[in-house]
Amino acid sequence: MLDVLAVTVPVFLIIGAGYLAVWRGLFSQGQVDGLMVFTQRFAIPCLLFLAVSTLDLAQGFDWRLLVSYYSGAMACFVAGILGTLFWLRRGAEDAVAVGFAAMFANTVLLGLPIAERAFGADSLTPNYAIIALNAAFCYLTGITAMELVRAGGGGFLRGVTTVARSMSRNSLMLGVAAGIAVNLSGLPLPGPADEAIRLIASAALPAALFGLGGVLVQYKPEGDARGIFLCCAIALILHPAWTWGMGRLLGLEEGPFRAAVLTAAMAPGVNSYLFAAMHGKAVRISASSVLIGTAASVFTVSGWLLLL
């Protein structure tokens, strides 16, 4: 157990340091916003570009890995919707927003550093394969469901077009796309360019973890306690449990299996709140689930690592 805590606690200590720094006024909200702009638009795209440009695409995009993880994500989406409708007794649009929060795991800011510390940098190929599809899959699923319950889905095409346009300008997606292009071309990067990108990428995860802590100060633990519990329980327990079962059923190899389960065990990502705010539904539940889910994942992720 001490070995597991040695993996997870340093990651959450960096998040806690960022939270404390902003909460106590040592780091302003404007400064943390600037830090997150650097990590989200520059450092993390460089990290994803380097990873995907050297990725064994045939090995990384194993259909068993993707089915194990994304069938779990869809199960969480459905469970969040049903739980909101029949347990919380809230409307269909709120149900979609809660389902999205339960489905959208923090695959990058939490998933990558914990997986790297647990299993080493050479083990991250399956993680990058999951990350490459995560935003597009979750947003298209969420937008589709939201538009289907709004005016009979009349705005579906407009919603999908908006998401496609947003994804085409998203820095993380651009980093992944550029990495795939270099990978398929087989052309090496010039030495100085490669070194410069690696220097920027080396700052990505620690800076992003500190920034994540600062961002979480904005998400006050308020709203429907049962809704927050529902969302966090689905994200932290159902998703990794489903992925575990599917991975074993499909005969997923040990490395991808561990990556899929551990990634599925991550807390709801900040995009959960952004989706809820974009539609004006279940905003407090989504925001609080990001904060409380991240705090609770100190223990739940450690538990899943112990099982793995």
Side-chain angles (χ1 to χ4, degrees):
M1 186 61 185
L2 290 178
D3 290 340
V4 169
L5 292 176
V7 170
T8 57
V9 169
V11 172
F12 290 102
L13 283 178
I14 298 175
I15 296 173
Y19 189 97
L20 186 64
V22 174
W23 177 47
R24 302 307 300 169
L26 303 175
F27 209 70
S28 72
Q29 196 63 60
Q31 289 170 325
V32 82
D33 289 344
L35 179 62
M36 291 305 284
V37 168
F38 166 72
T39 58
Q40 297 278 1
R41 296 187 183 178
F42 299 97
I44 294 176
C46 286
L47 177 68
L48 296 178
F49 168 78
L50 287 174
V52 175
S53 66
T54 58
L55 188 68
D56 183 337
L57 297 178
Q59 177 186 1
F61 290 91
D62 184 336
W63 69 269
R64 296 171 299 172
L65 167 75
L66 300 178
V67 169
S68 298
Y69 181 86
Y70 284 109
S71 67
M74 186 59 72
C76 291
F77 184 61
V78 173
I81 290 175
L82 295 178
T84 304
L85 290 174
F86 297 109
W87 187 43
L88 304 183
R89 302 291 182 181
R90 297 179 65 153
E93 293 181 24
D94 281 348
V96 173
V98 173
F100 185 91
M103 167 178 62
F104 201 109
N106 195 336
T107 58
V108 178
L109 302 189
L110 284 181
L112 280 180
I114 291 176
E116 182 176 1
R117 288 184 57 79
F119 305 120
D122 293 338
S123 73
L124 296 180
T125 293
N127 298 74
Y128 288 119
I130 292 171
I131 290 167
L133 302 176
N134 192 52
F137 176 88
C138 292
Y139 268 103
L140 286 174
T141 301
I143 287 287
T144 300
M146 186 64 80
E147 295 302 335
L148 286 175
V149 301
R150 283 183 169 178
F156 169 67
L157 183 59
R158 184 175 63 254
V160 170
T161 302
T162 300
V163 170
R165 188 181 301 116
S166 176
M167 290 295 103
S168 70
R169 296 196 299 262
N170 182 278
S171 299
L172 302 185
M173 294 298 99
L174 291 175
V176 170
I180 291 175
V182 170
N183 190 309
L184 293 176
S185 73
L187 297 175
L189 285 178
D194 181 73
E195 186 62 26
I197 293 172
R198 290 183 185 279
L199 285 172
I200 296 175
S202 66
L205 294 181
L209 288 172
F210 185 91
L212 174 62
V215 168
L216 290 177
V217 176
Q218 304 174 54
Y219 303 150
K220 309 300 181 186
E222 58 186 9
D224 190 327
R226 292 193 305 161
I228 298 167
F229 172 80
L230 172 69
C231 185
C232 291
I234 292 171
L236 300 177
I237 298 174
L238 175 60
H239 197 175
W242 180 289
T243 303
W244 184 300
M246 285 298 296
R248 289 301 187 213
L249 180 65
L250 297 175
L252 192 58
E253 295 177 4
E254 196 63 25
F257 173 80
R258 294 186 306 191
V261 172
L262 189 58
T263 304
M266 296 301 125
V270 173
N271 279 286
S272 304
Y273 165 73
L274 298 179
F275 181 86
M278 180 171 66
H279 294 95
K281 297 296 178 181
V283 175
R284 293 196 302 175
I285 289 178
S286 299
S288 297
S289 296
V290 173
L291 174 62
I292 294 174
T294 301
S297 64
V298 177
F299 307 101
T300 57
V301 170
S302 297
W304 287 109
L305 267 176
L306 191 62
L307 290 174
L308 287 170

